[in-house]
Amino acid sequence: MILSRFYRMLTLALLAPLLVAGCGRVKEKPASLAANADSTQHVDSAAAAPAPVLSYEAQQGRNIFMKYCAVCHGTEGKGDGFNAFNLDPKPRNLTDGAYMKTLTDDRLAQTIREGGRGVNRSSLMPSWGARLTKNEILDVAAFVRTFAVDSAAAK
């Protein structure tokens, strides 16, 4: 019994430094190794582009959009939210720059305020005029504008 206790203590004493060392931070690669590793990887220029800086209104609109709209339109505005599966017609793809350019800011705000039925579109899109204030609707419209991708730039 004394011998088995001795072996347990010895094992613990030998493994403890290894466990502590394994929990430490990972050291960064030297600059020369990092440069060589990066040169072999392909980086997509679109993915490397920084995210656009949002105005205050668009930031506020993002919070509201994520709460009420992303369920159907998706977090990226592609009309692929988790509830989109249940809808026919599918929610509008807000990243379609060609279509979004045809909408004035007033028309976009009207669509949010009155819903699809209010602008002769799908009645499945609810009206948000009773829930959101005028400024909140304008904030959501400002955020929705950030989704639109120019079709010429996307190619």
Side-chain angles (χ1 to χ4, degrees), residues 69-87 91:
C69 312
V71 174
C72 297
H73 288 283
T75 58
E76 296 177 358
K78 295 180 179 178
D80 59 354
F82 71 86
N83 195 39
F85 173 77
N86 299 316
L87 303 175

Side-chain angles (χ1 to χ4, degrees), residues 1 10 22 27-28 30 41 46-47 51 63 82 86 89 93 97 102 104 109 116 118 121 125 133 139 141 151-152:
M1 179 152 175
L10 181 63
K27 294 182 179 180
E28 294 181 9
Q41 295 177 354
N63 295 336
F82 71 86
N86 299 316
N93 179 354
T102 66
T104 64
R121 297 289 180 182
M125 180 178 167
T133 67
D139 292 347
S151 55

Side-chain angles (χ1 to χ4, degrees), residues 65 73-80 91-101 143-152 154:
F65 182 90
H73 288 283
T75 58
E76 296 177 358
K78 295 180 179 178
D80 59 354
R92 172 67 63 188
N93 179 354
L94 303 172
T95 65
D96 181 3
Y99 175 77
M100 294 301 289
K101 281 183 180 180
F143 178 65
V144 165
R145 287 281 183 208
T146 68
F147 286 133
V149 176
D150 187 16
S151 55

Side-chain angles (χ1 to χ4, degrees), residues 24-49:
R25 289 190 289 173
V26 177
K27 294 182 179 180
E28 294 181 9
K29 293 180 184 178
S32 61
L33 291 177
N36 289 340
D38 291 342
S39 66
T40 61
Q41 295 177 354
H42 173 71
V43 177
D44 185 15
S45 60

Side-chain angles (χ1 to χ4, degrees), residues 89-137:
K90 300 295 181 203
R92 172 67 63 188
N93 179 354
L94 303 172
T95 65
D96 181 3
Y99 175 77
M100 294 301 289
K101 281 183 180 180
T102 66
L103 297 177
T104 64
D105 290 340
D106 289 338
R107 178 66 172 197
L108 190 54
Q110 179 187 14
T111 304
I112 297 166
R113 183 177 51 257
E114 298 176 13
R117 181 175 292 156
V119 293
N120 296 323
R121 297 289 180 182
S122 172
S123 61
L124 296 176
M125 180 178 167
S127 61
W128 295 103
R131 162 91 46 203
L132 303 176
T133 67
K134 180 180 178 182
N135 285 337
E136 288 173 329
I137 290 171

Side-chain angles (χ1 to χ4, degrees), residues 58-74:
Q59 289 176 17
Q60 296 303 310
R62 176 181 56 198
N63 295 336
I64 297 166
F65 182 90
M66 293 304 169
K67 183 175 183 179
Y68 296 112
C69 312
V71 174
C72 297
H73 288 283

